[in-house]
Amino acid sequence: MILTNPRTQLRAYRLGESLARVIPCRGYHNSGVLSEERKKLPISGKSLNKKTDYNICFLRHGQSTWNRENIFIGWTDTPLTDDGVLEATLAGQLLEKSGILFDEVHTSLLRRSIRTTNLALMELGQEYLPVYKSWRLNERNYGDLVGKNKKQVVLQHGVDQVKRWRRSYDEPPPPMRDDHAYHPKNDPRYQNLLDKIPHSESLETTMHRSRVYWEDVLAPALRSGQTLLVVGHENNLRSLIMRLEDISPKDIINLSLPRAVPLAYRLGTDLKPLDRDDGKLDEATGFLRGTWLGGDGAVKEILERDHKQVYDTSVVENLETKSPNDKYKAWNDVNAYERCRKANGAGRVVTGRLPHNGEIIQKVAAN
């Protein structure tokens, strides 16, 4: 069920109104240009976020079944895997350790994102927060590529072409046919949006719809002093971050985002990022003034693995199914995962939280 935001603006999307007007990005930002006139965006005295001065945090969902199988997903509603549940839970623990408390959460209509939201909020102890869902935060529609194995598509069309389809600003994949097996029109949640379902999307057209959500919902909430968590999908989050960081259409092809690593921003009153504490851009991507709560080194390692998983045809093994020790060692949380496995044989976490050091596992279930 889609929750209705009390703000008048959100009613626009429920009715499918389009207020989007795309403006050109202004190229690279210069993190050294911040003047003394720039002021921090104030956090409201009514905000729950008393311990930090972060204003907004972006979080990509955990591993879904088609992430694991290296398949183009788009609007297809694939669930989280057991590893995806672990990723989302660890993301929640990173948020909890950071001290951030949120006032509201925004996510898509897709369950991999919704469940990631729920798991992260459990770790934060903030299950009570309002969670607003919108199709404007859905992943981009990958058109005719949906349902196809990414590495097979690379072998067929080449690395450069697939990278342009996946990461460029204005080159969409081939369009989805009306009789496509995974066409969103067959999903009842979109029955009132049939005229707005795209047959394929570039990052530019994805930005059309995310821009509406930013201007009508996220920006007003930020200006009112609310601290926001946005849980979404790689390309939709890329479209929001491209706008936030003023990354140029030429350079956005080089920005990728990892799953389930929170990216937190301090904003100025102009809703543009303030410098990180170290005054540098992040080392993982080289573009961002946000703070990766998992650490730049961990993010860089994950992104390198993800690049090999899609583009390196010499890599035959599925890197998504390697042991969790390999995937999460950079987060220094492997011990938590191992304690869960040893306590349950080969079980999986069902409820409760992954334990921090010295804590007791609340509940696990056998396979």
Side-chain angles (χ1 to χ4, degrees):
M1 178 178 180
I2 302 175
L3 296 178
T4 304
N5 192 315
R7 296 188 190 85
T8 302
Q9 295 93 334
L10 186 56
R11 296 173 187 166
Y13 329 120
R14 297 292 307 280
L15 297 174
E17 291 183 22
S18 177
L19 306 176
R21 297 185 303 277
V22 174
I23 59 175
C25 292
R26 292 173 288 184
Y28 271 125
H29 63 260
N30 185 340
S31 62
V33 175
L34 292 175
S35 69
E36 294 181 359
E37 298 177 358
R38 292 276 315 275
K39 295 182 179 180
K40 289 184 179 180
L41 183 69
I43 295 174
S44 169
K46 296 181 180 180
S47 173
L48 298 172
N49 188 26
K50 307 294 186 185
K51 296 182 179 179
T52 82
D53 54 357
Y54 289 117
N55 304 103
I56 191 168
C57 184
F58 299 105
L59 176 64
R60 187 183 167 199
H61 62 80
Q63 184 195 66
S64 75
T65 52
W66 281 15
N67 290 136
R68 180 185 60 199
E69 302 305 323
N70 208 21
I71 293 173
F72 284 100
I73 309 175
W75 287 26
T76 309
D77 199 21
T78 56
L80 294 184
T81 63
D82 286 351
D83 273 4
V85 171
L86 172 63
E87 289 178 356
T89 305
L90 290 174
Q93 289 189 8
L94 289 173
L95 289 168
E96 189 269 335
K97 292 174 182 177
S98 76
I100 303 174
L101 288 178
F102 298 99
D103 299 304
E104 56 187 52
V105 186
H106 300 265
T107 191
S108 73
L109 299 185
L110 299 169
R111 58 180 167 172
R112 58 189 183 272
S113 184
I114 295 169
R115 193 175 183 199
T116 297
T117 299
N118 294 338
L119 290 165
L121 290 180
M122 286 176 63
E123 295 302 308
L124 278 165
Q126 286 200 282
E127 296 99 318
Y128 55 83
L129 287 182
V131 178
Y132 303 113
K133 306 181 182 76
S134 173
W135 68 277
R136 294 191 183 276
L137 296 180
N138 276 13
E139 176 60 295
R140 65 182 284 196
N141 189 325
Y142 270 108
D144 191 54
L145 299 182
V146 172
K148 296 181 179 180
N149 181 274
K150 295 175 185 177
K151 193 156 284 186
Q152 291 299 318
V153 174
V154 168
L155 288 170
Q156 181 179 358
H157 295 282
V159 170
D160 290 343
Q161 178 61 73
V162 175
K163 187 171 184 180
R164 292 199 304 274
W165 282 336
R166 295 185 73 227
R167 296 289 175 262
S168 72
Y169 178 64
D170 57 2
E171 185 170 345
M176 177 180 282
R177 305 181 311 275
D178 286 337
D179 62 350
H180 195 286
Y182 300 107
H183 200 295
K185 71 178 182 180
N186 300 318
D187 192 320
R189 79 194 75 188
Y190 305 119
Q191 62 181 342
N192 296 323
L193 297 169
L194 294 179
D195 61 332
K196 298 191 177 299
I197 296 175
H199 287 86
S200 180
E201 288 182 293
S202 64
L203 187 65
E204 180 182 21
T205 52
T206 303
M207 201 171 181
H208 276 249
R209 54 180 167 91
S210 71
R211 174 184 170 85
V212 178
Y213 203 83
W214 174 266
E215 292 186 344
D216 290 353
V217 178
L218 300 181
L222 289 166
R223 290 193 179 101
S224 71
Q226 301 294 286
T227 303
L228 308 184
L229 174 61
V230 180
V231 182
H233 309 265
E234 183 169 19
N235 287 290
N236 199 286
L237 294 179
R238 286 174 72 236
S239 75
L240 291 169
I241 292 169
M242 179 181 179
R243 172 187 174 83
L244 194 68
E245 294 273 10
D246 291 330
I247 301 172
S248 73
K250 176 183 176 182
D251 295 311
I252 193 63
I253 194 170
N254 297 311
L255 178 65
S256 297
L257 303 176
R259 290 192 310 267
V261 185
L263 176 64
Y265 277 94
R266 298 178 179 90
L267 303 179
T269 53
D270 56 356
L271 300 189
K272 290 298 181 181
L274 298 176
D275 276 348
R276 290 159 42 123
D277 289 339
D278 61 9
K280 300 177 181 178
L281 301 178
D282 77 304
E283 295 179 4
T285 72
F287 286 98
L288 308 179
R289 284 172 282 181
T291 299
W292 292 107
L293 300 186
D296 287 6
V299 171
K300 186 174 183 179
E301 184 176 319
I302 293 168
L303 292 178
E304 288 173 351
R305 183 210 66 188
D306 290 349
H307 186 274
K308 292 179 182 178
Q309 171 77 349
V310 176
Y311 299 112
D312 191 343
T313 55
S314 68
V315 177
V316 178
E317 64 178 327
N318 184 349
L319 302 180
E320 288 282 359
T321 58
K322 292 185 70 175
S323 76
N325 283 11
D326 293 331
K327 287 195 286 186
Y328 307 122
K329 64 183 179 180
W331 291 16
N332 297 315
D333 270 308
V334 174
N335 289 336
Y337 182 85
E338 286 303 314
R339 285 197 297 276
C340 286
R341 291 185 63 85
K342 290 177 181 178
N344 183 39
R348 60 187 176 87
V349 175
V350 175
T351 63
R353 57 184 290 145
L354 287 177
H356 295 304
N357 289 334
E359 292 183 351
I360 299 174
I361 298 172
Q362 293 182 6
K363 185 177 180 181
V364 293
N367 287 339

